[in-house]
Amino acid sequence: MTGGPAVSVLMAVRDGAAHLPETIASLRAQIEPEGGLEFVVVDDASTDTTPALLAAWAEADPRLRVLSAAAPTGLAVALNHGLGHVRAPLVARADGDDLYAPDRLLRQAAALRADPRLDALSCGCVRIDEAGNELANVAPVTGPDRIRFRMLYTSSLLHPGAMIRTAALRAAGGYDAAYWTAQDSDLWARLLAAGGRLDNLPEPLVHYRVHATSLMAKRGPAGRALSLSVPERVQSAYLDGLPPDHDVAATVDLWQSYRPLPPEAIRAGLAGMERIATVARRRERPEVLADMRATMGRAFWRQARWLGRRRPGLAASLAGNAARVRMAT
């Protein structure tokens, strides 16, 4: 990589013409870190005007290389194809429908140079809708130990906001093609299992587009099962094997508490979370334990409110658990 760029921006896109011009503009406006940039974009057999948009970009910007697939391969395979062509020691992920602050790459490259122990670094984001309207400012979890622990339940790094050391990404085998969803969660788990460290910059350096056609929105039961396979193996390693009654899905769902859960899932989730917490109390640093207790408390309160008068006994028990957890924080 001697003499190459400092950062390679890696993107795979299929039929992204609706938002690609805005993304291209935000990438071309990036402040170059010392050593320069290159853009490696894989066109995964687009059938819209994406190829023409990429060709125009390549004509105007010699930093861009476009790789074209003859038939659709999927995100993981497309990214691995591009990874084989990057020349920089740092790989910055980008998606074809998001927008990037001009100093995103500059800040992340500086942070990774300052901390050689980090394998990957993402950032906060502003969620936007299809029209670009702001929906929410998302502050990320920061601190490698907290992020590592939360991997038991969820991924804390925004994939299209991540910058990854090329050597670590290649040593991990790149992306697993079996993961047509949750490619990022699987990658983070493998980096952590190899002893890597992950972190986030707190600033919202990405405008992350949320829309109905996203893979997450339409992944279905098979995609959910594949996604849950990541916390399943992380929890299994943490607990030195999963007991027969350990319900990974319920444990993850209760931790996240994005929606009301049925009583049986709440009870199974409580058992799973307590099993993990018992190990964590012996193993984790105080700041990790404080984050664990705060997250558990929020989840219990949320489920208690949702239960309300329908199941007053369970709601009261959850509220009591929340109070006890928060008092210990």
Side-chain angles (χ1 to χ4, degrees):
M1 293 183 184
T2 303
V7 176
S8 297
V9 178
L10 175 61
M11 182 168 73
V13 60
R14 182 194 301 168
D15 295 339
H19 302 295
L20 189 56
E22 291 179 276
T23 299
I24 291 172
S26 76
L27 290 174
R28 294 194 66 190
Q30 289 294 304
I31 304 169
E32 287 204 1
E34 183 179 354
L37 297 175
E38 71 171 357
F39 302 99
V40 178
V41 178
V42 181
D43 176 15
D44 197 24
S46 295
T47 58
D48 63 1
T49 59
T50 292
L53 292 169
L54 294 177
W57 180 12
E59 185 175 354
D61 191 341
R63 300 174 299 174
L64 171 65
R65 282 181 293 155
V66 179
L67 309 172
S68 299
T73 62
L75 181 59
V77 173
L79 291 176
N80 284 339
H81 183 196
L83 178 62
H85 290 78
V86 304
R87 298 180 296 140
L90 300 174
V91 176
R93 277 284 292 112
D95 279 346
D97 57 355
D98 299 325
L99 307 175
Y100 302 94
D103 60 346
R104 174 208 157 182
L105 302 180
L106 183 72
R107 293 171 66 100
Q108 289 182 313
L112 284 166
R113 283 197 300 269
D115 189 351
R117 299 172 301 167
L118 287 178
D119 282 339
L121 180 69
S122 193
C123 56
C125 71
V126 177
R127 287 181 179 152
I128 59 175
D129 64 16
E130 291 195 59
N133 300 307
E134 294 188 4
L135 302 174
N137 193 325
V138 181
V141 177
T142 58
D145 288 337
R146 294 171 68 197
I147 288 170
R148 171 189 51 77
F149 181 79
R150 281 175 170 248
M151 200 71 218
L152 290 157
Y153 303 101
T154 188
S155 169
S156 299
L157 269 66
L158 178 70
H159 192 202
M163 185 177 285
I164 312 162
R165 294 193 191 278
T166 307
L169 181 52
R170 287 176 172 159
Y175 291 89
D176 187 337
Y179 281 85
W180 53 267
T181 185
Q183 300 94 353
D184 53 341
S185 296
D186 168 69
L187 174 62
W188 309 145
R190 286 187 284 118
L191 289 174
L192 289 169
R197 289 166 64 85
L198 316 176
D199 206 352
N200 282 309
L201 293 177
E203 295 82 8
L205 302 179
V206 178
H207 276 60
Y208 176 67
R209 200 176 305 270
V210 180
H211 47 82
T213 59
S214 68
L215 184 61
M216 184 67 71
K218 58 183 182 182
R219 64 180 182 171
R224 172 172 160 81
L226 188 60
S227 296
L228 285 169
S229 71
V230 177
E232 179 177 12
R233 73 173 188 258
V234 177
Q235 290 182 21
S236 181
Y238 196 78
L239 297 172
D240 294 322
L242 297 180
D245 63 338
H246 187 83
D247 189 328
V248 173
T251 304
V252 168
D253 287 345
L254 182 58
W255 172 276
Q256 296 179 350
S257 281
Y258 294 147
R259 57 183 175 83
L261 300 176
E264 59 272 18
I266 291 175
R267 294 189 183 96
L270 284 168
M273 288 174 73
E274 180 53 37
R275 192 172 283 127
I276 291 170
T278 298
V279 175
R281 293 183 193 109
R282 302 194 306 265
R283 186 179 298 176
E284 301 296 344
R285 297 164 60 91
E287 59 267 28
V288 175
L289 295 177
D291 184 56
M292 177 189 74
R293 289 190 291 262
T295 304
M296 290 171 65
R298 287 192 296 270
F300 297 162
W301 276 118
R302 196 171 294 132
Q303 294 295 333
R305 289 196 301 271
W306 281 327
L307 282 169
R309 296 180 181 178
R310 292 184 295 108
R311 297 297 295 265
L314 183 55
S317 176
L318 281 169
N321 281 338
R324 286 190 291 275
V325 165
R326 288 193 173 185
M327 286 177 65
T329 300

